[in-house]
């Protein structure tokens, strides 16, 4: 259905221009199409996925209209200098073939090439990711994204990303330098099903460790105590900051918020809630600090999390200038038990991801 829409938006304006009988009609057609496309461009909103689709369709309109006007214009000029009918019609035919070839390349051939599954050697490899002075080891699980700087370099939930990372590391023979990596355990890769990236990875070989647990948990819908997302990287990494370290670790955010409140003559008192002291900031952000003095994060700070509604995030230093963070959803009722279960799984994952020296 989508391809049909794209075809219509590409070829309707093309043929509308291509059938114009003379230069005057062609000029009128070109003016009307230009005005229409310009109006749609100015008057439309291009937010989100629908906005991207709108831009794509408008570009198709513009390309089809431009190609049709140009091809027909050349044909009319050739007719004016006395060329044969075959020569006059040739520009339209050539333009049509170029458009059809480009369409096939972009929307048919390229997606099929990108969807080619990674090799068995790739799926069975062990990748090594170097971040700062630390080295991490992971199989090419489709829940992973590896970043270097401000862009996602390798998104392994797509076959193309998995093939690319295996090519860059010679199937794990060389470490990949990165600024962070993340594992999205509730993303598209976790939905599984025939032909999915998860199925290809989990059946490539008998997985071990946390990867085997993940494959089994996905099949059994048993990810309840897993973090929804786990990220490890440098504190300067844009993605890690966006999700987990907005203004630094939650502990620093809480301290700064309390200090700011005092400087403004206000007092923010904690509210005891089921094993936590809850601090509610004026901007509605909540910080939950465990009342259990023995429940410590790896950086020896008291366990705490930043929550907004049912969504909570935890972030902490793991040494060598690196931070780890994870997120999960939990209602207030039962939040302590959920927090402990997800925390235990997150620490286990971090430990297993660390490469042996």
């Amino acid at each position: 259905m989508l391809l049909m829409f794209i075809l219509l938006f590409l070829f309707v304006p093309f043929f509308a221009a291509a059938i114009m009988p003379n230069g005057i009609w062609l000029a009128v057609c070109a003016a009307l199409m230009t005005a229409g496309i310009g109006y749609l461009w100015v008057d439309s909103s291009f937010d989100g996925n629908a906005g991207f689709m709108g831009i794509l369709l408008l570009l198709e309109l513009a390309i089809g209209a431009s190609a049709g006007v140009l091809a027909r214009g050349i044909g009319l000029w050739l007719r004016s200098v006395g060329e044969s009918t075959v020569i006059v019609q040739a520009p339209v035919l050539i333009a049509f073939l170029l458009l059809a070839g480009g369409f096939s390349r972009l929307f048919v051939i390229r997606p099929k090439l990108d969807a080619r599954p990674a090799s068995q050697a790739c799926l069975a490899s062990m990748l090594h990711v170097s971040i700062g002075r630390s080295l991490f080891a992971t199989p090419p699980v489709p829940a992973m994204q590896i970043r270097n700087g401000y862009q996602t370099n390798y998104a392994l939930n797509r076959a193309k990303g998995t093939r690319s990372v295996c090519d860059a590391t010679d199937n794990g023979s060389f470490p990949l330098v990165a600024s962070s990596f993340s594992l999205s355990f509730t993303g598209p890769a976790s939905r599984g099903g025939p032909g999915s990236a998860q199925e290809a990875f989990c059946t490539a070989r008998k997985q071990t460790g946390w990867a085997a647990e993940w494959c089994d948990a996905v099949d059994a819908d048993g990810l309840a105590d897993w973090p929804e997302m786990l990220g490890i990287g440098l504190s300067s990494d844009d993605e890690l900051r966006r999700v987990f370290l907005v203004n630094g670790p939650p502990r620093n955010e809480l301290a700064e918020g309390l200090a700011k409140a005092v400087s403004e003559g206000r007092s923010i008192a904690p509210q005891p809630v089921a094993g936590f002291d809850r601090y509610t900031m004026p901007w509605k952000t909540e910080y939950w600090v465990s009342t259990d003095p023995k429940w410590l994060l790896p950086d020896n700070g008291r366990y705490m999390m930043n929550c907004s509604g049912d969504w909570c995030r935890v972030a902490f230093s793991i040494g060598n200038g690196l931070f780890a963070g994870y997120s999960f959803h939990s209602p207030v009722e039962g939040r302590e038990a959920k927090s402990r279960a997800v925390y235990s799984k997150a620490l286990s994952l971090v430990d297993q991801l660390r490469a042996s020296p």
Side-chain angles (χ1 to χ4, degrees), residues 6 38 63 99 111 113 117 119 177 196 198 203 217 262 299 301 307 336:
I6 295 175
I63 292 171
L99 286 179
L113 291 175
S119 67
V177 177
S196 67
Q198 177 263 330
T203 57
V262 170
D299 57 9
C307 296
E336 183 183 25

Side-chain angles (χ1 to χ4, degrees), residues 2 26 78 98 100 142 179 184 209 248 291 327:
L2 176 59
L26 182 62
L78 290 172
L98 289 174
S179 59
S184 298
T291 56
S327 61

Side-chain angles (χ1 to χ4, degrees), residues 184-266:
S184 298
F185 295 112
T186 58
S190 293
R191 287 197 282 270
S196 67
Q198 177 263 330
E199 182 190 51
F201 169 77
C202 292
T203 57
R205 69 166 187 175
K206 183 174 177 57
Q207 300 295 338
T208 59
W210 71 268
E213 294 180 47
W214 179 74
C215 288
D216 293 340
V218 170
D219 290 338
D221 196 23
L223 292 167
D225 292 336
W226 287 60
E228 294 176 5
M229 180 178 179
L230 172 70
I232 296 175
L234 300 170
S235 61
S236 58
D237 181 76
D238 179 63
E239 182 67 12
L240 196 70
R241 292 190 63 85
R242 183 183 68 82
V243 181
F244 300 114
L245 302 171
V246 181
N247 295 306
R251 185 183 303 117
N252 295 359
E253 291 180 4
L254 174 59
E256 291 173 4
L258 293 176
K260 181 179 179 181
V262 170
S263 68
E264 295 174 350
R266 293 180 295 176

Side-chain angles (χ1 to χ4, degrees), residues 53-76:
M53 182 56 61
I55 292 175
L56 176 62
L57 293 178
L58 278 179
L59 287 175
E60 295 289 336
L61 277 175
I63 292 171
S66 300
V69 170
L70 179 62
R72 186 54 177 161
I74 294 174
L76 291 174

Side-chain angles (χ1 to χ4, degrees), residues 43-56:
D43 197 55
S44 300
S45 174
F46 300 108
D47 296 328
N49 292 332
F52 174 78
M53 182 56 61
I55 292 175
L56 176 62

Side-chain angles (χ1 to χ4, degrees), residues 134-146:
S134 298
L135 190 65
F136 299 88
T138 173
V141 58
M144 174 172 280
Q145 289 194 344
I146 304 173

